[in-house]
Amino acid sequence: MSMPLQRGISGGVRVSNSSDDLRDSQMKDKSDKETRSSDHLTLRFPFAFLFSQSPSKTGENGFPTDPYSARSRHKLMLLFLKISLVLIVILALAGSFWWTVSISTSSRGHVYHNYRRLQEQLVSDLLDIGEISAGPTRLKELEYCSIEAENYVPCFNVSEIGDENDRFCGPGSKQECLELPPVDYKVPLRWPTGKDVIWYHNVKITADEVLTSGSINKRMMMMDDDQISFRSASPMFDEVEDYSHQIAQMIGIKNDNFIEAGVRTILDIGCGYGSFGAHLLSKQLLTMCIANYEASGSQVQLTLERGLPAMIASFVSTQLPYPSLSFDMLHCSTCGIDWDKKDGLLLVEVDRVLKPGGYFVWTSPLTNARNKEDIKRWNFVHDFAESICWTLLSQQDKTVVWKKTVKTKCYSSRKPGVGPSVCSKGHEVESPYYRPLQMCLGGTRSRRWIPIEARTRWPSRSNMNKTELSLFGLHPEEVGEDAANWKANVRDYWSLLSPLIFSDHPKRPGDEDPSPPYNMLRNVLDMNAQYGGLNSALLEAKKSVWVMNVVPTAGPNHLPMILDRGFVGVLHDWCEAFPTYPRTYDLVHADNLLSLQRSQRRSSCSLLQILTEMDRVLRPEGWVIIRDMVQLVETARALTTQLKWEARVVEVESSSDQRLLICQKPFTKRQSI
């Protein structure tokens, strides 16, 4: 390392009594500066030494002669730099061509593949840099959507759909504006109050729909002009609790302890407004509500507004985006599905997602039929259930409970022509993504065919043992390391969010800060759940929150493992809109999702579109946490200005090449008309 120049009052020239010494010192000082300038250029432009180290011409007195003016030298240097850059590009392209040709003639195809990925990475990086460097003219804030789009759900609100309940994610289904909440929208009440009381104006529902008495899940009452209550009208009589007790008795469960019977996760079809799932949550049972898209009075929207698990899904023509053998129980209480239609095809889909030994609970007037037509329909369902090896456990009033077989031999022991056949290997897809419904019994070849009674009980189920992990090709060491990382991450997240939430930034006017234990989050949308590590860490930290674990179709499919751990989740393509209503999640989390999506190289799927979808499903004052590579985080941070988010970049570790992007969606109100 060179020593710094000694500077005096003469500008770096050491004062001497001799004129010769002064001249020598000046010559040496100028020579040192030129040398440093040459070294500086060499570091930044590798070919600059070709031009900067040419011999200097000297005069008779020993000073360098300068045939060009300072301006000419400056222009010449710029020309040299341009030529240098051109030479670099030419040499790089020539080297790339030579390397490609040489590798293509060899047997090391994987090297060529990796090199191509490096080239694609370079192109993507340059595009990202270009997007940011374009400046404010490119990063204009997105416009707000019209008032008609307050409850817009892409892929369902389109005219291309043949059936109103079908899903269609075509080119016209993408949203390029920001949805504003309704005029009288209020931030949801915190749990546990918010589970039973919601703000009337936060959802799209009419007074007639509120007062309509349908299934047991839809019964509710109005408290006042601003709130809807789902509590029982009588403190001495809880209809939902009695219904739950009845099901437990029909199955043979003592003390309503569903956990001891192997039940943890339930799929509630046509769930009403989620009252059944809300009640079971107190028993440590996790219920996923699914229902058709509804423009008004939506079952899914009201359930999510209560903070409970729900998503839009239907049995119309495609399989559900869940793996085979996903749930311990399926429940349908006056759910509006005609199980006798389509030759029993819908019951086959129920069988596919039901675990061995799992239960199908159906409450319907049809089970207690009196007229000839209804009796015929009931007999078809009864006989078809028997043909797919379901056992009728009990029938009381309008409720019937079946149990799925635990023995695959049952299917081969049936009489020829009785019931649908077992799926062949070609048709057996463990985790379909909206594939057409299949008239064959799935999951019978899976290594996960384990009766629910033989599975580890909850909550131990969330921490899989060595034998259980081996079904997914995983070792306890790698899963244990992942779990330890997520425990640390959750601590970091909470320490980052808590000071921001419980401070004057931001703070709603007239609203006091909530006291611990910080129930500011009811639900989390984990956009790249991987093994479900975030979900597990939140549970161990005793956070009162449930997680929608989303496994992107672009990456490894760990959804079967997530569901076997006793969590809820779904497959999803993040180049499409998520099947939910606006303003339904408190926190959106994306761990390395941007890197995963970029690796797909889909021109129809931009980073801004993914961020816009995050904004749609996030409630006002909700939070976004993005963990990814530095460059992608910085790109996302620049794009958050278009979404009007407040954003901060946080360093994870000094030696890490990743960063955290913490964002908050503002509470922007639409002006009253």
Side-chain angles (χ1 to χ4, degrees), residues 532-589:
L534 175 63
N535 195 156
S536 179
L538 287 168
L539 281 174
E540 291 199 22
K542 301 188 183 305
K543 305 300 181 185
S544 57
V545 58
W546 65 269
V547 180
M548 175 67 86
N549 295 281
V550 182
V551 175
T553 56
N557 181 15
H558 297 300
L559 185 57
M561 173 184 173
I562 289 172
L563 293 169
D564 283 358
R565 295 183 72 178
F567 306 149
V568 293
V570 65
L571 277 177
H572 186 64
D573 180 355
W574 282 114
C575 291
E576 300 173 353
F578 193 68
T580 191
Y581 290 82
R583 306 175 297 279
T584 51
Y585 286 95
D586 299 331
L587 171 64
V588 175
H589 178 258

Side-chain angles (χ1 to χ4, degrees), residues 209-210 212-220 271-273 275 294 297 299:
E209 289 168 330
V210 169
T212 298
S213 181
S215 70
I216 191 172
N217 288 341
K218 282 194 173 183
R219 292 181 186 147
M220 56 189 178
C271 59
Y273 301 136
S275 295
E294 296 166 290
Q299 304 170 69

Side-chain angles (χ1 to χ4, degrees), residues 273-288:
Y273 301 136
S275 295
F276 184 59
H279 170 72
L280 295 179
L281 193 62
S282 63
K283 301 180 181 295
Q284 299 189 57
L285 302 180
L286 194 56
T287 305
M288 170 62 72

Side-chain angles (χ1 to χ4, degrees), residues 508-637:
R508 296 184 295 279
D511 191 13
E512 296 181 356
D513 291 337
S515 58
Y518 308 151
N519 289 330
M520 68 272 194
L521 299 179
R522 305 162 303 165
N523 54 23
V524 177
L525 178 66
D526 193 0
M527 300 177 71
N528 185 19
Q530 300 171 58
Y531 301 144
L534 175 63
N535 195 156
S536 179
L538 287 168
L539 281 174
E540 291 199 22
K542 301 188 183 305
K543 305 300 181 185
S544 57
V545 58
W546 65 269
V547 180
M548 175 67 86
N549 295 281
V550 182
V551 175
T553 56
N557 181 15
H558 297 300
L559 185 57
M561 173 184 173
I562 289 172
L563 293 169
D564 283 358
R565 295 183 72 178
F567 306 149
V568 293
V570 65
L571 277 177
H572 186 64
D573 180 355
W574 282 114
C575 291
E576 300 173 353
F578 193 68
T580 191
Y581 290 82
R583 306 175 297 279
T584 51
Y585 286 95
D586 299 331
L587 171 64
V588 175
H589 178 258
D591 176 51
N592 287 295
L593 175 72
L594 307 185
S595 297
L596 179 63
Q597 291 296 129
R598 185 176 64 173
S599 67
Q600 299 303 299
R601 309 295 171 190
R602 292 171 63 175
S603 58
S604 60
C605 182
S606 69
L607 176 56
L608 180 59
Q609 289 172 343
I610 295 175
L611 294 177
T612 304
E613 177 62 7
M614 291 184 190
D615 183 87
R616 186 184 72 85
V617 303
L618 190 66
R619 68 163 174 82
E621 296 188 2
W623 296 85
V624 174
I625 300 178
I626 297 174
R627 178 189 291 265
D628 222 302
M629 305 301 292
V630 174
Q631 180 211 344
L632 287 171
V633 166
E634 290 295 344
T635 303
R637 182 196 60 78

Side-chain angles (χ1 to χ4, degrees), residues 189 193 196-198 210 220-231:
L189 298 169
T193 304
D196 299 318
V197 180
I198 66 172
V210 169
M220 56 189 178
M221 55 174 278
M222 290 288 294
M223 287 183 64
D224 54 41
D225 293 337
D226 293 330
Q227 293 179 332
I228 301 174
S229 173
F230 300 89
R231 297 189 179 110

Side-chain angles (χ1 to χ4, degrees), residues 241-254:
E241 183 175 355
D242 289 346
Y243 177 66
S244 169
H245 180 68
Q246 177 190 0
I247 294 173
Q249 285 186 323
M250 294 173 71
I251 294 175
I253 297 174
K254 296 180 180 180

Side-chain angles (χ1 to χ4, degrees), residues 55 105 158 184 297 414 498 524 580:
T105 58
V158 290
D184 296 319
R414 295 175 299 173
S498 296
V524 177
T580 191

